[in-house]
Amino acid sequence: MTAAEVSAFLDREFPQIHHGGRTYHVEEVGPLRARLRMDYHERHIRPGGTLSGPSMMALADLGLYVAVLVSVGPVALAVTTNLSFNFLRKPAQRALIADCRLLKLGKRLAVGEVSIRSEGEDDLACHATGTYSIPDRR
Amino acid sequence: MTAAEVSAFLDREFPQIHHGGRTYHVEEVGPLRARLRMDYHERHIRPGGTLSGPSMMALADLGLYVAVLVSVGPVALAVTTNLSFNFLRKPAQRALIADCRLLKLGKRLAVGEVSIRSEGEDDLACHATGTYSIPDRR
Amino acid sequence: MTAAEVSAFLDREFPQIHHGGRTYHVEEVGPLRARLRMDYHERHIRPGGTLSGPSMMALADLGLYVAVLVSVGPVALAVTTNLSFNFLRKPAQRALIADCRLLKLGKRLAVGEVSIRSEGEDDLACHATGTYSIPDRR
Amino acid sequence: MTAAEVSAFLDREFPQIHHGGRTYHVEEVGPLRARLRMDYHERHIRPGGTLSGPSMMALADLGLYVAVLVSVGPVALAVTTNLSFNFLRKPAQRALIADCRLLKLGKRLAVGEVSIRSEGEDDLACHATGTYSIPDRR
């Protein structure tokens, strides 16, 4: 699947991620990996202008889901079983980039990590790991 | 602080949690604990009618934040440093209840756990733990 | 399985947990739960007399494994896939008690939590959650 | 601090990590990072010849501790507050290498990640993240 195919799949299957404005974008996909972008948008902003923790958590979950999706295909819907986050630095007042890669793609479980940075920065705002259960394929 | 005082504080300081409709409610607070409710609402719903993981993550984060807030008071704003989630069962098509309690309230760190259930059920839909950094108070 | 049967099974299958001295004991088992005890022993002690983090992590992993074992039986060997720990207070200079319970026992995954206290105390020294993959049973 | 200085410090301050045989070695240290090695040794081995989860958890905790130590110096003793592990593949029947790096070194908290592999392999056996509380320095 290409980034455009993944985006079309998400629009069809998960339209609610765009509720309140389209802010999550699939920028690149590759073997076991995906890069997503989240716009700096009113509905993600906390007082003082920082981006909220929940908006980064949603970004990480979506990014890992995409990395699984491009690896196992759109038939089998993976289910998140575990997510763990370390919030490291206040994000800047601009878009966030999430680099997601799978550390393991097994028959039943996929495990990945996500590095979230403000666009153009090196330091991480948030680091996440997640596990996804992959349904039996016959 | 009472549940009403906490709600008023959240409305003032975190208005964006109500973006798209008021769905998070502080039901009860007590020493080291808080109970919150999340309405079954269009913006939290995944295809098939289930409530989304990110909406439960936002609920858990808010609930632990409230448990810290009632314990240390509204002056010092705590910052989430770590959150970890196990997604256990698909929630039912109704409101979620989050029971939050602090396992530790130290000078610098508060650590708590959250049990999220569909209203009226015993089994957990999600279990979370979180750590909050408490600023120096002088 | 009774606590004695579980202990006999562990002695046979995991003799290395007793390497350096028998310090882990299964005290009670029940539906979806287990209570273990770890002796205050030289090989678990850090300078200053506190019990080491790794000794508590080993205790939590063993306790959840036992809770799974009593629930699915000794045939299918469960494999740890995720463990997450919050270290809350320095343990006292005596034995630790680990109360383990499963939050979910599914066909493929079991998820549980562990509360570790110094014997006779209420406050937690450590809280853990863990996920175990259960092999297919035919 | 050099790898040799760190090793000497650990021998003096944490002699119990060598209880049952010296198996943990500091191989390299650098800014915000450390590489450790754990020998394939009887006391770490599970039936079937695989290395135990607790031995990998102890390795990760030690490795992150070393990465903090080389960054803040030997005066201030950091305390582990959170550790989270994903067990990805059964390790091979040989030594393990742990590559540890800090994602954040703040005034109060350090957060890092660890990649553990069997020596000579690319795929991870285990991935860990951890948080350490750094005492006030005056």
Side-chain angles (χ1 to χ4, degrees):
Chain A
M1 297 176 85
T2 66
E5 286 166 349
V6 169
S7 296
F9 176 84
L10 294 175
D11 289 355
R12 207 167 52 235
E13 301 290 333
F14 298 104
Q16 87 290 351
I17 63 172
H18 303 311
H19 196 276
R22 178 178 298 261
T23 57
Y24 295 105
H25 310 278
V26 180
E27 297 227 308
E28 292 175 36
V29 296
L32 305 182
R33 54 175 292 282
R35 170 175 286 187
L36 275 78
R37 175 194 169 90
M38 185 182 90
D39 296 334
Y40 186 75
H41 181 280
E42 177 198 2
R43 73 175 162 115
H44 302 313
I45 298 176
R46 280 278 153 90
T50 195
L51 289 157
S52 75
S55 70
M56 290 192 278
M57 295 196 284
L59 174 63
D61 187 26
L62 182 63
L64 284 175
Y65 181 85
V66 167
V68 174
L69 187 66
V70 297
S71 304
V72 304
V75 178
L77 291 185
V79 175
T80 313
T81 60
N82 178 273
L83 280 171
S84 189
F85 299 90
N86 284 298
F87 299 95
L88 302 168
R89 288 171 197 84
K90 236 192 219 203
Q93 302 194 12
R94 55 180 181 278
L96 290 174
I97 304 296
D99 283 295
C100 312
R101 69 186 180 104
L102 299 188
L103 302 171
K104 171 185 172 161
L105 178 60
K107 241 181 12 177
R108 300 164 133 218
L109 292 177
V111 181
E113 72 168 340
V114 185
S115 296
I116 298 181
R117 294 172 176 84
S118 294
E119 194 165 33
E121 296 208 357
D122 284 336
D123 286 340
L124 299 187
C126 178
H127 181 270
T129 57
T131 302
Y132 293 75
S133 179
I134 303 171
D136 287 331
R137 284 154 290 179
R138 272 162 217 135
Chain B
M1 297 177 85
T2 65
E5 285 166 349
V6 169
S7 296
F9 176 84
L10 295 175
D11 288 356
R12 206 167 52 235
E13 301 291 332
F14 299 104
Q16 87 290 348
I17 62 172
H18 303 311
H19 197 275
R22 179 178 297 260
T23 57
Y24 295 105
H25 310 277
V26 180
E27 298 226 307
E28 291 175 36
V29 296
L32 305 182
R33 55 175 293 281
R35 171 176 285 186
L36 274 78
R37 175 195 169 92
M38 187 183 90
D39 295 334
Y40 186 76
H41 182 280
E42 176 198 3
R43 72 176 163 114
H44 302 312
I45 299 175
R46 281 276 152 88
T50 195
L51 289 157
S52 76
S55 70
M56 290 192 278
M57 295 195 284
L59 174 63
D61 188 25
L62 182 62
L64 284 175
Y65 181 85
V66 167
V68 174
L69 187 65
V70 297
S71 305
V72 304
V75 179
L77 292 185
V79 175
T80 313
T81 61
N82 178 272
L83 281 170
S84 190
F85 299 91
N86 283 299
F87 299 96
L88 302 168
R89 289 172 195 84
K90 236 193 221 202
Q93 302 193 12
R94 55 181 181 278
L96 290 174
I97 305 296
D99 283 296
C100 311
R101 67 184 181 108
L102 300 189
L103 302 171
K104 173 188 170 158
L105 177 62
K107 242 182 10 177
R108 300 164 132 217
L109 293 177
V111 181
E113 72 169 340
V114 185
S115 295
I116 297 181
R117 296 171 175 85
S118 295
E119 193 164 33
E121 297 208 355
D122 285 334
D123 286 341
L124 299 187
C126 178
H127 181 270
T129 58
T131 302
Y132 293 76
S133 179
I134 303 171
D136 287 330
R137 284 155 289 176
R138 275 162 216 135
Chain C
M1 297 177 85
T2 65
E5 285 166 349
V6 169
S7 296
F9 177 84
L10 295 175
D11 288 356
R12 208 167 50 236
E13 300 291 332
F14 298 105
Q16 88 289 349
I17 62 171
H18 303 311
H19 197 276
R22 178 177 298 261
T23 57
Y24 295 105
H25 309 277
V26 180
E27 298 226 307
E28 291 174 37
V29 295
L32 304 182
R33 56 175 292 281
R35 170 176 286 187
L36 274 79
R37 174 195 170 91
M38 186 182 90
D39 295 333
Y40 185 75
H41 182 278
E42 176 197 3
R43 72 176 164 115
H44 302 313
I45 299 175
R46 280 278 153 89
T50 195
L51 289 158
S52 75
S55 70
M56 290 192 279
M57 296 196 283
L59 174 63
D61 188 24
L62 183 62
L64 284 175
Y65 181 85
V66 167
V68 174
L69 187 66
V70 297
S71 305
V72 303
V75 179
L77 291 185
V79 175
T80 313
T81 61
N82 178 272
L83 280 171
S84 189
F85 299 90
N86 284 298
F87 299 96
L88 302 168
R89 288 171 197 84
K90 234 192 222 201
Q93 301 194 13
R94 55 181 181 277
L96 290 174
I97 305 296
D99 283 295
C100 312
R101 68 186 181 106
L102 299 189
L103 302 171
K104 172 188 170 157
L105 178 61
K107 242 183 10 180
R108 300 164 132 218
L109 292 177
V111 181
E113 73 169 340
V114 185
S115 295
I116 297 181
R117 295 171 175 86
S118 295
E119 193 165 33
E121 297 209 355
D122 284 335
D123 286 340
L124 299 187
C126 178
H127 181 270
T129 57
T131 303
Y132 293 75
S133 179
I134 302 171
D136 287 330
R137 283 155 290 178
R138 271 162 217 136
Chain D
M1 296 177 85
T2 67
E5 286 166 348
V6 169
S7 297
F9 177 84
L10 295 176
D11 289 355
R12 208 169 49 237
E13 301 290 332
F14 298 104
Q16 86 291 351
I17 63 172
H18 303 311
H19 197 275
R22 179 177 297 261
T23 57
Y24 296 105
H25 310 277
V26 180
E27 298 225 309
E28 290 175 37
V29 295
L32 304 182
R33 55 174 292 281
R35 170 175 287 187
L36 275 78
R37 173 195 170 91
M38 185 183 90
D39 295 333
Y40 185 76
H41 182 279
E42 176 199 3
R43 73 176 163 115
H44 303 312
I45 299 176
R46 280 277 153 89
T50 195
L51 288 157
S52 75
S55 70
M56 290 192 278
M57 295 195 284
L59 174 63
D61 187 25
L62 183 63
L64 284 175
Y65 181 85
V66 167
V68 174
L69 187 66
V70 298
S71 304
V72 303
V75 178
L77 292 184
V79 175
T80 313
T81 61
N82 178 271
L83 281 170
S84 189
F85 299 91
N86 284 297
F87 299 95
L88 302 168
R89 288 170 197 83
K90 235 191 221 204
Q93 302 194 11
R94 55 181 181 279
L96 291 173
I97 305 297
D99 284 296
C100 312
R101 68 184 181 106
L102 299 188
L103 302 171
K104 172 188 171 158
L105 178 60
K107 241 183 11 178
R108 299 163 133 220
L109 293 177
V111 181
E113 72 168 341
V114 185
S115 296
I116 298 180
R117 296 171 174 85
S118 294
E119 192 163 36
E121 297 208 356
D122 284 335
D123 287 340
L124 299 187
C126 178
H127 181 270
T129 58
T131 303
Y132 293 76
S133 179
I134 302 171
D136 287 330
R137 283 155 290 178
R138 276 162 216 136

